[in-house]
């Protein structure tokens, strides 16, 4: 788990490598991970990336392209699609919502 939290921003993190680090097969790793954490390892990593992306968007210090790159996505379009699947809105829409919350005194 430490490895995942340290390296989740890397687009090349793979379940195969995580299984090798754990000295188990990929299948066993996936099964055990889901049994322990009640979520697949891929979904867990994606959730970490999306949470980090949301924090960066909230900070207003980075463009959507920079957020995409910093979360390990080489394609901005793919990042936007994954973000929308996770939050139900695009990164730009999420940023706008944060900006409105700040101006309304909610944040």
């Amino acid at each position: 788990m430490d490895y995942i939290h340290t390296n989740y921003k890397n687009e090349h993190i793979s379940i195969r490598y995580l299984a090798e680090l754990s000295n188990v097969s990929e299948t066993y790793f996936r099964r055990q991970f889901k049994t322990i954490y009640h979520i697949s390892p891929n979904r867990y990593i994606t959730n970490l990336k999306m949470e980090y992306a949301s924090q960066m968007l909230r900070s207003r210090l980075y463009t959507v392209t920079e957020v995409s790159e910093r979360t390990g996505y080489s394609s901005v379009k793919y990042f936007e699609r994954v973000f929308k699947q996770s939050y139900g809105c695009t990164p730009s829409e999420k940023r706008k919502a944060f900006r409105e919350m700040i101006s309304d005194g909610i944040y």
Side-chain angles (χ1 to χ4, degrees), residues 47 77 95 99:
N47 288 351
K77 291 289 184 197
R95 172 176 275 154
R99 194 173 18 240

Side-chain angles (χ1 to χ4, degrees), residues 8 12 16 24-25 33 44 53 57 62 72 83 92 96:
Y8 69 90
H12 300 296
R16 177 182 294 163
V24 296
S25 71
F33 193 98
Y44 185 84
L57 291 168
Y62 307 98
F83 192 94
S92 297
K96 182 179 178 192

Side-chain angles (χ1 to χ4, degrees), residues 50-66:
M50 293 300 104
E51 184 179 319
Y52 183 55
S54 182
Q55 290 170 5
M56 285 189 285
L57 291 168
R58 188 178 317 132
S59 77
R60 299 179 295 169
L61 297 173
Y62 307 98
T63 66
V64 172
T65 300
E66 290 170 327

Side-chain angles (χ1 to χ4, degrees), residues 80-94:
E80 289 173 334
R81 185 173 44 205
V82 173
F83 192 94
K84 188 166 186 169
Q85 287 171 347
S86 296
Y87 288 104
C89 62
T90 67
S92 297
E93 292 168 341
K94 186 77 161 175

Side-chain angles (χ1 to χ4, degrees), residues 8-67:
Y8 69 90
K9 299 169 199 164
N10 180 354
E11 69 178 289
H12 300 296
I13 193 169
S14 72
I15 304 308
R16 177 182 294 163
Y17 185 68
L18 293 172
E20 287 174 12
L21 285 176
S22 303
N23 292 320
V24 296
S25 71
E26 275 185 70
T27 303
Y28 185 78
F29 180 84
R30 288 176 196 276
R31 191 177 317 123
Q32 286 302 105
F33 193 98
K34 186 151 187 164
T35 297
I36 294 167
Y37 299 106
H38 308 288
I39 189 171
S40 74
N42 285 330
R43 173 51 52 195
Y44 185 84
I45 292 166
T46 298
N47 288 351
L48 286 174
K49 288 181 177 205
M50 293 300 104
E51 184 179 319
Y52 183 55
S54 182
Q55 290 170 5
M56 285 189 285
L57 291 168
R58 188 178 317 132
S59 77
R60 299 179 295 169
L61 297 173
Y62 307 98
T63 66
V64 172
T65 300
E66 290 170 327
V67 171

